[in-house]
Structure formats: C-alpha cells, structure tokens
Amino acid sequence: MSTVNIGMPTPPAPPVPVRRASRQIHVGPVPVGGGAPISVQTMTTTVTADVDATLQQIAEVTAAGCDIIRVAVPSQDDADALPAIVAKSKLPVIADIHFQPRYVFAALDAGCAAVRVNPGNIKKLDDKVAAIAQAATAARVPIRIGVNAGSLDPRLLHKHGKATPEALVESALWEASLFEEHGFTDLKIAVKHHDPLTVVAANRLLARRCDYPLHLGVTEAGPAVQGAIKSAVAFGILLAEGIGDTIRVSLSTDPVEQVKAGNHILQSLGLRPRKLEIVSCPGCGRLQVDLHTLATKVEAAFEGFPHALRVAVMGCVVNGPGESREADVGVSCGNGKGQIFVKGEVVRTVPESKIVGALLDEALRLAEDTGQDPGSPQEER
C-alpha cells in the first residue's frame, strides 16, 4: 500500500515555569532546590523491619522512576533494620520519624540520606533540637520538617482554631527557627493538608517567607482517581508558579502508582522529559471498534517501552486522523479496522485484532530507524 504524506505539524514547546529561587540541599546524591530538577518520591507501605519486603518495594518504585524513598520508623525493630536497607537500596532513604526523637539518631547512625521529623507528633522536640542539629551536621544529613493538618502542634491549633494555611506555615517556620538558632539550615519544609486549595495557599505563603526547598504533598489525598486529581490540581497550580522542589502523590494505592502519577504530573508541565504517552479518545456513539478494550491492550503492550513516544489510539474519523498525525505512532479506527500512522503518514490498514501488534511493531521500527536500542517492552497482543 502506498503511503500518503499528510504532513506532521510541530506543536509549540510548552513554557517552562520560572522556578522560585531557593537554597539547595542534597538527599544523598539527589540535589533538591536551587534549580535542581524536581524529584519524585514516595513511601514504602511495608513494615520497615521486614528488610526483604521493604527492599523489594524499593526496587519496584525505582523501576517506576522514583528518585527518593521514605520509610517509616515507628519502632526499635524498624530502626535496627535501617542499616541493611540503606546499604542495599538504590535510592536515597529518608527515615520518617514520629513520636520518638531517639530514632532520629538511629537513622543518622544508619546512614540515611535525610530524616523527616513531624514537630506536632514529637513531644518535647524543641528540647532535642540542639542535639539533633549537632548530629545531623556531623553526618552532613538534611532534616525535613513536615507539618500535617492532622498532627498540627496543639498550641497553634488552639491559636488559629483549625489547620489554616497560616497555622501550617507558622508551625513550620517556628521549628525551622529552632534549628537556625543552632546554626543548622540544611532543611527542607513540607506543609500538607487534605484540601488542595489549602495546600496551594500554605505553600504560596511559605514560599514568600523563606528560601528553603519545599516538598509538595496533598496528604491523605484519597483513592486513585480522587487522590490523583486533588494532587494534580495543587501541584499544577504551584509548580506552574515555580513553587516546589520535590513531590509525592499520596494515594491509597501501591507506591508504584504514586510514582507514576508524580511523573505524569511533571511531564505534563514540561518539568520532566516525556516518556511514553498514550493519547486516546473517551469514546462516543460514533465508535465502530471496542475502543476501551483496545486502549487498555495498547497500554499493556507498551508497558516498559523505553523511548519517548506519543501513541494515539483514536476511535472514529472525526478527530482520529488529526490526533494520529500529531503522534509518533497512531491508529484511527473505523468499521472494525485501523489506519496505522507513523510520523504523519498512513503506512497500512489492519483489522481490529491486529492493531496492537501493528502499533508496537511500528514503534520498535521507528526506534530502530532513529538509532535507538528498541529494548524489550512487554508485548501483549
């Protein structure tokens, strides 16, 4: 079949937000703030004391594109497991400390890349700041001050009546000032709330009042769809304003899905190079193929594809040809068949049952033609 050159429009590059100026810290080898790329992190859901299970989950999120991992340390058994986890993790490990300040020192001794403390949950933390600052300075390890709406210092909760943006920021800056009194400024700050607009307001206020790098999170965001939307709203607004240096999408799902969501948010804002992107239409009464099943099969077939490609899966002749032309590889479906596009050209027409294989074949061929190692994506046809 002869090809039809219908042209390949070049979309304009999305504007990259001007980043807020901040000081820079290093979480192990990962720079945070100071113009460094925005990092994606998540937290293990395993019992930290179960070293094998924790390392397995760390390996899974590493493969998904995570940059920094956080592990909970609520017990002595968890603290005792940290040296083995740190030694074998391919990601820098942050120890998440609540209630017991002695675990901060255990985390530093274990070689953790950073320590997160929640002032509202650690009784008499103020009395321990001098010792923590001294130990962190000696270990050259940064401290993350994490203030959550659900664990706000009771004094500030009483003062403000509830977890307002002002209350969250006041708590964070107060604790930062205690570290500053001891000459320790290797800090990162996070102010979190379950409401995305409160998160936006709090981080805007915090960004104006300090130059510490900021970690963004909508805490207890919820199940997959709701949580991803709430996080995308808050992060999209803040990151578009240049606010935020590292993010976590806190979903009630597998940590791998949290990492994927975080990467997609950054890619959508032009803050991280795009990898594989699947463009597919929602479907309507014009469909003549089982588009929803087709899109799911395409997503599965391209799982792990190592190249930055846009793959379009379109269900009818209204928007299909145009969207397919703007993709690297695409299909425009109709009457149980699909026209396969590559870089704006129709290269063949195949029956519905052959569409997934045809798209994958053309993608592999395109990668090979451009001098890239096509790798070995998981093929499910």
Side-chain angles (χ1 to χ4, degrees), residues 70 96-98 116-121 125 144-154 156-157 162-176 179 188-194 198-199 202-203 206 215-220:
R70 185 155 43 107
D96 193 79
I97 310 296
H98 294 259
R116 183 270 179 121
V117 296
N118 186 332
N121 272 348
L125 175 65
R144 170 183 152 190
I145 296 174
V147 178
N148 283 13
S151 54
L152 189 63
D153 189 308
L156 293 172
L157 194 59
K162 61 179 182 178
T164 64
E166 292 77 13
L168 295 171
V169 171
E170 183 175 345
S171 176
L173 293 180
W174 167 251
E175 296 301 336
F179 281 94
K188 176 174 63 177
I189 298 180
V191 287
K192 294 186 175 183
H193 197 282
H194 63 84
T198 300
V199 171
N203 279 278
L206 188 59
H215 170 74
L216 303 183
V218 178
T219 193
E220 296 100 30

Side-chain angles (χ1 to χ4, degrees), residues 44 54-62 69 85 89-91:
T44 55
T54 301
L55 286 172
Q56 175 60 35
Q57 198 167 76
I58 291 175
E60 291 169 358
V61 299
T62 301
I69 189 67
I85 292 170
S89 172
K90 292 185 178 180
L91 298 179

Side-chain angles (χ1 to χ4, degrees), residues 38-57:
I38 296 168
S39 54
V40 174
Q41 54 181 277
T42 189
M43 191 170 181
T44 55
T45 58
T46 57
V47 175
T48 304
D50 188 340
V51 174
D52 290 341
T54 301
L55 286 172
Q56 175 60 35
Q57 198 167 76

Side-chain angles (χ1 to χ4, degrees), residues 32-377:
V32 176
I38 296 168
S39 54
V40 174
Q41 54 181 277
T42 189
M43 191 170 181
T44 55
T45 58
T46 57
V47 175
T48 304
D50 188 340
V51 174
D52 290 341
T54 301
L55 286 172
Q56 175 60 35
Q57 198 167 76
I58 291 175
E60 291 169 358
V61 299
T62 301
C66 189
D67 301 303
I68 299 169
I69 189 67
R70 185 155 43 107
V71 299
V73 188
S75 74
Q76 187 61 51
D77 287 343
D78 298 315
D80 292 341
L82 289 175
I85 292 170
V86 169
K88 295 183 179 181
S89 172
K90 292 185 178 180
L91 298 179
V93 176
I94 298 178
D96 193 79
I97 310 296
H98 294 259
F99 306 116
Q100 293 293 344
R102 70 175 183 272
Y103 297 146
V104 173
F105 302 103
L108 294 173
D109 291 340
C112 288
V115 176
R116 183 270 179 121
V117 296
N118 186 332
N121 272 348
I122 300 182
K123 296 180 180 179
K124 298 184 178 180
L125 175 65
D126 298 359
D127 298 335
K128 302 290 184 180
V129 168
I132 291 174
Q134 182 178 7
T137 298
R140 303 183 69 179
V141 169
I143 299 290
R144 170 183 152 190
I145 296 174
V147 178
N148 283 13
S151 54
L152 189 63
D153 189 308
R155 296 167 294 184
L156 293 172
L157 194 59
H158 176 74
K159 175 182 176 181
H160 292 273
K162 61 179 182 178
T164 64
E166 292 77 13
L168 295 171
V169 171
E170 183 175 345
S171 176
L173 293 180
W174 167 251
E175 296 301 336
S177 73
L178 296 180
F179 281 94
E180 291 167 353
E181 288 178 1
H182 299 284
F184 188 86
T185 58
D186 204 8
L187 299 170
K188 176 174 63 177
I189 298 180
V191 287
K192 294 186 175 183
H193 197 282
H194 63 84
D195 174 55
L197 295 183
T198 300
V199 171
V200 170
N203 279 278
R204 281 173 171 166
L205 179 60
L206 188 59
R208 292 195 298 267
R209 296 186 57 184
C210 74
D211 67 348
Y212 290 117
L214 303 182
H215 170 74
L216 303 183
V218 178
T219 193
E220 296 100 30
V225 174
Q226 173 181 292
I229 291 172
K230 289 169 68 174
S231 298
V233 167
F235 297 175
I237 293 171
L238 290 167
L239 293 172
E241 295 176 4
I243 298 172
D245 302 286
T246 177
I247 65 171
R248 180 199 176 189
V249 181
S250 299
L251 307 177
S252 300
T253 61
D254 188 298
V256 168
E257 297 306 313
Q258 301 178 19
V259 172
K260 289 180 179 179
N263 277 299
H264 280 304
I265 291 171
L266 294 182
Q267 290 170 26
S268 296
L269 291 166
L271 293 169
R272 179 162 287 203
R274 287 185 181 272
K275 294 187 178 179
L276 178 72
E277 179 185 9
I278 296 177
V279 178
S280 60
C281 66
C284 68
R286 293 186 294 267
L287 289 180
Q288 295 177 316
V289 296
D290 184 356
L291 181 75
H292 297 160
T293 299
L294 177 61
T296 299
K297 288 181 177 179
V298 170
E299 183 178 32
F302 279 85
E303 179 71 26
F305 197 82
H307 304 299
L309 290 181
R310 178 179 286 116
V311 180
V313 182
M314 306 304 296
C316 76
V317 297
V318 175
N319 293 319
E323 291 289 350
S324 297
R325 284 197 298 271
E326 293 206 11
D328 296 292
V329 177
V331 60
S332 179
C333 301
N335 196 27
K337 298 179 180 179
Q339 275 191 326
I340 306 298
F341 289 77
V342 177
K343 291 291 186 180
E345 295 184 351
V346 179
V347 296
R348 52 175 157 152
T349 299
V350 299
E352 183 176 352
S353 63
K354 301 292 185 181
I355 288 174
V356 177
L359 288 173
L360 189 56
D361 287 343
E362 296 300 339
L364 291 168
R365 187 176 295 111
L366 182 60
E368 185 176 359
D369 289 345
T370 55
Q372 303 178 68
D373 178 6
S376 55

